Amino acid sequence: MKNFNIKAVLFLNYFVFAILLNSVGTVILQMQQNFGISKSSASILEGFKDLPIAICSFILASFLPKIGIKKSMLIALFLVSCMCFVMPFSDDFWFFKLLFTIVGISFALIKISVFTSIGLVTNTDKEHSSFMGYLEGFFMIGVLVGNVLFSLFIDDHNSKSTHWLNVYWVLGALSTLSFLFLFFSKLNENEAKSEKTDLLGDLKNSASLFSYRKVLFFLLCAFLFVLVEQSFQTWTPTFYKEILKVPTSMSIQAGAVLAGAFALGRFLSGFFSKKFSWIYVVSFCVIGFAISILLVLPLTHNIHIDTGTTWLNAPLVVYLFPLMGGLLAPIYPSINSVILASIPKYLHSAMSGLIVVFSAIGGTIGSIITGFVFEKFSGQQAFYLSLIPLSMLIVSAIFMNKLKINPKK
């Protein structure tokens, strides 16, 4: 297979950061139990993760190809490897703020590099869309594995136990392996560079993206989608622990089931993107997810689950809630691929930066709002709120579909 080695590297890098990024829901739950941190206070961990992603993406996106795509990914993997080997010795909340800050900075480098690289290792719009779907699907496999991995280190009989921090030895080893794999791989980065411009020219090219209405509607779509997605991913473990009253390890495993549903949905998006127009896929998913919220959330009220409940004897709603993620999953890779395939390859880095920035801001706002409503009202009401951004998302996607980008501009 052409470009097999570098494609495998992109999958592995995404896998590593999927575990690290989406461990925030597990960490928030453990911070409440280990250190007595409130929900609203713990929710700021999402900001320590997402704001560095947004800031670094904004600063680096336009000239990252000149730094070097491969070099940027190596720097990211080195930083998180070092931080993971520090975490088993952490004994205060600020360690986790630092961890997610480092993870956020590193992910900004990784995601822009990966999104830019896709255009270098694919040849057609459909191939680009399909690879994007499979890549995002593998990202969710990483989230699934991460939740299962963390749950294996949880002590259900002692909520104050910090034994779970030993999981970071495993994550440090995994990120080091990814570093070595990438170090010995080759990537031709020439097409990602605009030889006609200097740094100022690159910045002007990036700014020019805002002149396209299609780009503006896309950025709104990305913001709204991640606002909803991150709310569910971050707060599902806490929802299961406090609303459904299941054991802590099972609460974290619920995040793995949600990730599995996301992975399946994104792998299927790689298939369906070859068969149907992206707007049909996105519309079906948004409407289907909204309907599932209205049908499933009422089942979580006044539910009584025994302390000895396991996945083998849990009520139906315990399974249904995370499976909704399968409907939400195809949206993100579909809209990302459409916009990247619409612009010249030398602008992919700048566009990828904007994707990361608006996604990070959406994730932070979504998690903080959900955490606040969860604490002040209820978990159900926090998730019902997602119907508002979902409605705005489908309207924005329809407008985005009607607009074109003139490549000569």
Side-chain angles (χ1 to χ4, degrees), residues 101-122:
T101 299
I102 296 296
V103 169
I105 292 170
S106 301
F107 185 63
L109 293 170
I110 287 288
K111 190 164 185 176
I112 296 171
S113 299
V114 169
F115 274 25
T116 304
S117 299
I118 294 174
L120 303 178
V121 298
T122 57

CSV table of all heavy atoms in Angstrom, one decimal, residues 101-122:
chain,number,residue,atom,x,y,z
A,101,THR,N,-2.2,20.8,30.3
A,101,THR,CA,-1.6,21.9,29.6
A,101,THR,C,-0.6,21.4,28.6
A,101,THR,O,-0.6,21.8,27.4
A,101,THR,CB,-0.9,22.9,30.5
A,101,THR,OG1,-1.9,23.5,31.4
A,101,THR,CG2,-0.3,24.1,29.7
A,102,ILE,N,0.3,20.5,29.0
A,102,ILE,CA,1.3,19.9,28.1
A,102,ILE,C,0.6,19.1,27.1
A,102,ILE,O,1.0,19.1,25.9
A,102,ILE,CB,2.3,19.0,29.0
A,102,ILE,CG1,3.1,19.9,30.0
A,102,ILE,CG2,3.2,18.2,28.0
A,102,ILE,CD1,4.0,20.9,29.3
A,103,VAL,N,-0.4,18.3,27.4
A,103,VAL,CA,-1.1,17.5,26.5
A,103,VAL,C,-1.8,18.4,25.4
A,103,VAL,O,-1.8,18.1,24.2
A,103,VAL,CB,-2.2,16.6,27.2
A,103,VAL,CG1,-3.1,16.0,26.1
A,103,VAL,CG2,-1.5,15.5,28.0
A,104,GLY,N,-2.3,19.5,25.9
A,104,GLY,CA,-3.0,20.4,24.9
A,104,GLY,C,-2.0,21.0,23.9
A,104,GLY,O,-2.3,21.1,22.7
A,105,ILE,N,-0.9,21.5,24.4
A,105,ILE,CA,0.1,22.1,23.5
A,105,ILE,C,0.6,21.0,22.5
A,105,ILE,O,0.7,21.3,21.3
A,105,ILE,CB,1.3,22.6,24.4
A,105,ILE,CG1,0.9,23.8,25.2
A,105,ILE,CG2,2.5,23.0,23.4
A,105,ILE,CD1,2.0,24.2,26.2
A,106,SER,N,0.9,19.8,23.0
A,106,SER,CA,1.4,18.8,22.2
A,106,SER,C,0.3,18.3,21.1
A,106,SER,O,0.7,18.1,20.0
A,106,SER,CB,1.8,17.6,23.0
A,106,SER,OG,2.8,17.9,23.9
A,107,PHE,N,-0.9,18.3,21.6
A,107,PHE,CA,-2.0,17.9,20.6
A,107,PHE,C,-2.2,18.9,19.5
A,107,PHE,O,-2.5,18.5,18.4
A,107,PHE,CB,-3.3,17.6,21.3
A,107,PHE,CG,-4.4,17.1,20.4
A,107,PHE,CD1,-4.3,15.9,19.8
A,107,PHE,CD2,-5.5,17.8,20.2
A,107,PHE,CE1,-5.2,15.4,19.0
A,107,PHE,CE2,-6.5,17.3,19.4
A,107,PHE,CZ,-6.4,16.1,18.8
A,108,ALA,N,-2.0,20.2,19.8
A,108,ALA,CA,-2.0,21.2,18.8
A,108,ALA,C,-1.0,20.9,17.7
A,108,ALA,O,-1.3,21.0,16.5
A,108,ALA,CB,-1.8,22.6,19.4
A,109,LEU,N,0.2,20.5,18.1
A,109,LEU,CA,1.2,20.2,17.1
A,109,LEU,C,0.8,18.9,16.3
A,109,LEU,O,1.0,18.8,15.1
A,109,LEU,CB,2.5,19.9,17.8
A,109,LEU,CG,3.2,21.2,18.5
A,109,LEU,CD1,4.4,20.7,19.4
A,109,LEU,CD2,3.7,22.1,17.4
A,110,ILE,N,0.3,17.9,17.1
A,110,ILE,CA,0.0,16.6,16.4
A,110,ILE,C,-1.2,16.8,15.5
A,110,ILE,O,-1.1,16.3,14.3
A,110,ILE,CB,-0.4,15.6,17.5
A,110,ILE,CG1,0.9,15.1,18.2
A,110,ILE,CG2,-1.1,14.4,16.9
A,110,ILE,CD1,1.8,14.2,17.4
A,111,LYS,N,-2.3,17.4,15.9
A,111,LYS,CA,-3.5,17.5,15.1
A,111,LYS,C,-3.3,18.3,13.8
A,111,LYS,O,-3.7,17.8,12.7
A,111,LYS,CB,-4.7,18.0,15.8
A,111,LYS,CG,-6.0,17.8,15.1
A,111,LYS,CD,-7.2,18.0,16.0
A,111,LYS,CE,-8.5,17.7,15.3
A,111,LYS,NZ,-9.7,17.8,16.1
A,112,ILE,N,-2.6,19.4,13.9
A,112,ILE,CA,-2.3,20.2,12.7
A,112,ILE,C,-1.4,19.4,11.7
A,112,ILE,O,-1.7,19.4,10.5
A,112,ILE,CB,-1.7,21.5,13.0
A,112,ILE,CG1,-2.6,22.4,13.9
A,112,ILE,CG2,-1.3,22.3,11.8
A,112,ILE,CD1,-1.9,23.6,14.4
A,113,SER,N,-0.4,18.7,12.3
A,113,SER,CA,0.5,17.9,11.5
A,113,SER,C,-0.2,16.8,10.8
A,113,SER,O,0.0,16.5,9.6
A,113,SER,CB,1.6,17.4,12.4
A,113,SER,OG,2.4,18.4,12.9
A,114,VAL,N,-1.1,16.1,11.6
A,114,VAL,CA,-1.8,14.9,11.0
A,114,VAL,C,-2.8,15.4,9.9
A,114,VAL,O,-2.8,14.8,8.8
A,114,VAL,CB,-2.6,14.2,12.1
A,114,VAL,CG1,-3.6,13.2,11.5
A,114,VAL,CG2,-1.6,13.5,13.1
A,115,PHE,N,-3.6,16.4,10.2
A,115,PHE,CA,-4.5,16.9,9.2
A,115,PHE,C,-3.8,17.4,7.9
A,115,PHE,O,-4.3,17.2,6.8
A,115,PHE,CB,-5.4,18.0,9.8
A,115,PHE,CG,-6.6,17.5,10.6
A,115,PHE,CD1,-6.6,16.3,11.1
A,115,PHE,CD2,-7.7,18.3,10.7
A,115,PHE,CE1,-7.7,15.8,11.8
A,115,PHE,CE2,-8.8,17.9,11.4
A,115,PHE,CZ,-8.8,16.6,12.0
A,116,THR,N,-2.7,18.0,8.1
A,116,THR,CA,-1.9,18.5,7.0
A,116,THR,C,-1.4,17.3,6.2
A,116,THR,O,-1.3,17.3,4.9
A,116,THR,CB,-0.7,19.4,7.4
A,116,THR,OG1,-1.3,20.5,8.2
A,116,THR,CG2,0.0,19.9,6.2
A,117,SER,N,-1.0,16.3,6.9
A,117,SER,CA,-0.4,15.1,6.3
A,117,SER,C,-1.4,14.3,5.5
A,117,SER,O,-1.0,13.6,4.5
A,117,SER,CB,0.3,14.2,7.3
A,117,SER,OG,1.3,14.8,8.1
A,118,ILE,N,-2.6,14.3,5.8
A,118,ILE,CA,-3.6,13.5,5.1
A,118,ILE,C,-3.7,13.9,3.6
A,118,ILE,O,-3.8,13.1,2.7
A,118,ILE,CB,-5.0,13.7,5.7
A,118,ILE,CG1,-5.1,13.1,7.1
A,118,ILE,CG2,-6.1,13.1,4.9
A,118,ILE,CD1,-6.4,13.4,7.9
A,119,GLY,N,-3.6,15.2,3.4
A,119,GLY,CA,-3.6,15.7,2.0
A,119,GLY,C,-2.3,15.3,1.2
A,119,GLY,O,-2.3,15.2,0.0
A,120,LEU,N,-1.3,14.9,2.0
A,120,LEU,CA,0.0,14.5,1.3
A,120,LEU,C,0.0,13.0,1.0
A,120,LEU,O,0.8,12.5,0.2
A,120,LEU,CB,1.2,14.8,2.2
A,120,LEU,CG,1.4,16.3,2.7
A,120,LEU,CD1,2.5,16.4,3.6
A,120,LEU,CD2,1.6,17.2,1.4
A,121,VAL,N,-0.8,12.2,1.7
A,121,VAL,CA,-0.8,10.8,1.5
A,121,VAL,C,-2.1,10.2,0.8
A,121,VAL,O,-2.2,9.0,0.7
A,121,VAL,CB,-0.6,10.0,2.9
A,121,VAL,CG1,0.7,10.4,3.5
A,121,VAL,CG2,-1.8,10.3,3.8
A,122,THR,N,-3.0,11.2,0.4
A,122,THR,CA,-4.2,10.8,-0.4
A,122,THR,C,-4.2,11.5,-1.7
A,122,THR,O,-3.6,12.6,-1.8
A,122,THR,CB,-5.5,11.0,0.4
A,122,THR,OG1,-5.5,12.4,0.8
A,122,THR,CG2,-5.5,10.2,1.7
